[in-house]
Amino acid sequence: MSKIAAWFEERLGISAVVRFGAQKQVPLHKHTIWSYTGSAILVFFGIQVATGILLAFYYRPTLEAANASLERIMTEISFGWIVRSIHSWSATFMIITVFVHLVSVALTKAYRKPRELTWMTGALLLAVSLFFGFTGYLLPWDELSLAATKVGTDIPKAVPVVGEWATKFLRGGDDVTGDTLSRFFILHVTVLPLVLLLLLAVHVYLIQKLGMSLPLESEIRGEKAPGMSFWPNFVAREAAVWLVLLGLLITVAVLFAPSLGPPADLMAPAPEGVKPEWYFLFLFQTLKLFPAKVGFVSGETIAVLLIGLGALALFLLPLIDNRPETRKGKIVAAAFLAFLAYALGMSVWSLL
Ligand code: HEM
């Protein structure tokens, strides 16, 4: 065994990586717990890739076969139902963890100088994660997924000048058809994973280069936090969190497997009470609040432009809040909390 290990060591130099991990320090303080959130997202993404590949062995992205192939996965293929259920629940868990990670780095102001680009690549990762959810929602090709995608892809139309083109581009034509299904499938299984991996590489490179942030209060006081070695101490603690999350994921996936509606009919009228996935509910409710016309301008155009402005502000947050230790920093934190309360309130309202 030791000869085999030495053969690999000579070629791969793994011991240098282990030594590097042992020297790398993770700062220990009362907010260290939030540093587990990033790697938890990675675990869920890994599960998405593994279960997604298994589903793709049997899934057929065509108008005639999509719904039936998923029905077959759930009823005829060994363990198909649990693989589908884990894929669906792990997507939800991944998005929840991305939100928790975002809120934790926002409230600890970990985006402050020099971590502005870490935040910005993170914000793009959020957009990609949401787009993963949006494209995946259509793939079962049932009544609900068709209706929700029609509503969702209609929204860009409200943007002046490029809106019509964006909707057409997303749908692959004027309406949601079989072309939209194959377009969404390709985005979901090739384009988005590649974009996510690329962004992730930059995100993780920056975290490695800059090290983990200290709490703002300690930095202002010029304190030095005690550290814990990344390998094996921090990784062992992270692994304990992963195991708990995995247990939770398997439990809900077994108990609450997602259902599958009858195949979508392009000619049928939209069913009552169409709602998007939970993470789009607050946007959906915001759009409903605006009247048809505000003066000469369509209410939807104003709402979409305001939402776009909000997303841009989130992306540029480290540049807006460039002096987090000042009064301006406190106002930004209060505005962020107000936005969270708004998003939560709107989501609950849209469910009532
Ligand atoms: C697919 C999504 C994402 C993955 C896999 C990911 C992964 C990670 C990992 C592994 C870390 C280091 C450990 C930690 O702090 O948890 C980290 C740190 C960080 N992430 Fe993310 N992240 C994602 C999304 C985001 C989002 C949406 C934001 C914010 C918009 C963000 C901003 C940051 C920042 C600022 C840090 C540095 C924290 C510090 O130094 O204390 N990330 N991320």
Side-chain angles (χ1 to χ4, degrees):
M1 283 305 281
S2 65
K3 271 194 176 162
I4 295 175
W7 189 91
F8 276 106
E9 174 59 28
E10 200 180 340
R11 280 146 190 89
L12 298 173
I14 296 289
S15 63
V17 180
V18 173
R19 265 200 311 280
F20 175 75
Q23 277 161 12
K24 184 178 155 68
Q25 294 286 301
V26 178
L28 266 180
H29 46 73
K30 66 175 179 186
H31 296 306
T32 303
I33 185 157
W34 299 114
S35 303
Y36 299 122
T37 53
S39 70
I41 308 173
L42 276 179
V43 171
F44 290 127
F45 178 62
I47 293 173
Q48 287 309 91
V49 173
T51 49
I53 290 173
L54 291 176
L55 289 173
F57 286 156
Y58 297 98
Y59 177 77
R60 309 258 179 281
T62 66
L63 209 64
E64 303 75 25
N67 189 275
S69 66
L70 216 53
E71 174 90 45
R72 180 169 168 244
I73 288 172
M74 288 165 65
T75 53
E76 289 174 32
I77 308 296
S78 306
F79 302 107
W81 70 275
I82 187 70
V83 173
R84 179 186 179 217
S85 186
I86 291 177
H87 193 76
S88 162
W89 277 107
S90 171
T92 296
F93 277 45
M94 178 170 156
I95 304 256
I96 294 176
T97 343
V98 172
F99 280 136
V100 173
H101 180 61
L102 181 147
V103 172
S104 70
V105 288
L107 293 182
T108 51
K109 295 194 180 267
Y111 52 73
R112 66 189 183 274
K113 191 182 168 194
R115 294 181 178 77
E116 299 91 334
L117 291 176
T118 318
W119 170 273
M120 288 176 185
T121 48
L124 294 176
L125 280 167
L126 168 70
V128 173
S129 306
L130 294 177
F131 204 32
F132 254 118
F134 184 62
T135 48
Y137 200 62
L138 179 67
L139 302 184
W141 197 251
D142 58 12
E143 253 184 351
L144 207 66
S145 68
L146 173 65
T149 306
K150 275 186 179 168
V151 175
T153 50
D154 228 18
I155 294 170
K157 265 192 190 163
V159 180
V161 190
V162 290
E164 290 276 345
W165 173 85
T167 294
K168 229 176 172 163
F169 176 76
L170 272 175
R171 290 179 173 173
D174 288 326
D175 287 312
V176 177
T177 61
D179 285 341
T180 321
L181 179 63
S182 43
R183 190 163 284 222
F184 273 33
F185 177 70
I186 295 299
L187 287 171
H188 193 77
V189 304
T190 62
V191 180
L192 292 177
L194 281 175
V195 175
L196 191 136
L197 284 177
L198 213 74
L199 286 169
L200 197 59
V202 182
H203 198 63
V204 172
Y205 164 75
L206 288 169
I207 294 154
Q208 171 49 40
K209 181 172 161 24
L210 302 170
M212 299 297 295
S213 66
L214 283 180
L216 184 59
E217 317 86 76
S218 316
E219 203 170 272
I220 293 169
R221 280 192 235 111
E223 285 170 10
K224 261 197 131 346
M228 166 183 5
S229 64
F230 180 75
W231 175 264
N233 299 26
F234 186 66
V235 175
R237 287 175 185 219
E238 284 191 310
V241 175
W242 303 338
L243 277 180
V244 172
L245 291 175
L246 275 180
L248 208 65
L249 173 65
I250 304 282
T251 309
V252 289
V254 169
L255 293 179
F256 308 104
S259 57
L260 178 69
D265 177 356
L266 288 173
M267 297 303 159
E272 289 281 304
V274 176
K275 289 221 166 69
E277 284 279 61
W278 59 270
Y279 37 86
F280 291 124
L281 284 176
F282 80 99
L283 294 176
F284 182 69
Q285 192 65 16
T286 304
L287 284 169
K288 282 210 299 200
L289 279 182
F290 277 75
K293 284 265 176 215
V294 181
F296 292 113
V297 191
S298 126
E300 198 171 311
T301 300
I302 296 179
V304 170
L305 291 180
L306 283 177
I307 290 169
L309 220 61
L312 187 67
L314 188 77
F315 180 74
L316 297 176
L317 189 61
L319 306 183
I320 297 168
D321 187 20
N322 54 356
R323 301 281 306 278
E325 70 287 2
T326 59
R327 197 160 159 262
K328 183 177 153 200
K330 289 204 175 91
I331 296 172
V332 171
F336 184 79
L337 284 173
F339 169 74
L340 277 187
Y342 169 81
L344 213 68
M346 282 288 151
S347 305
V348 173
W349 186 10
S350 80
L351 288 174
L352 297 176

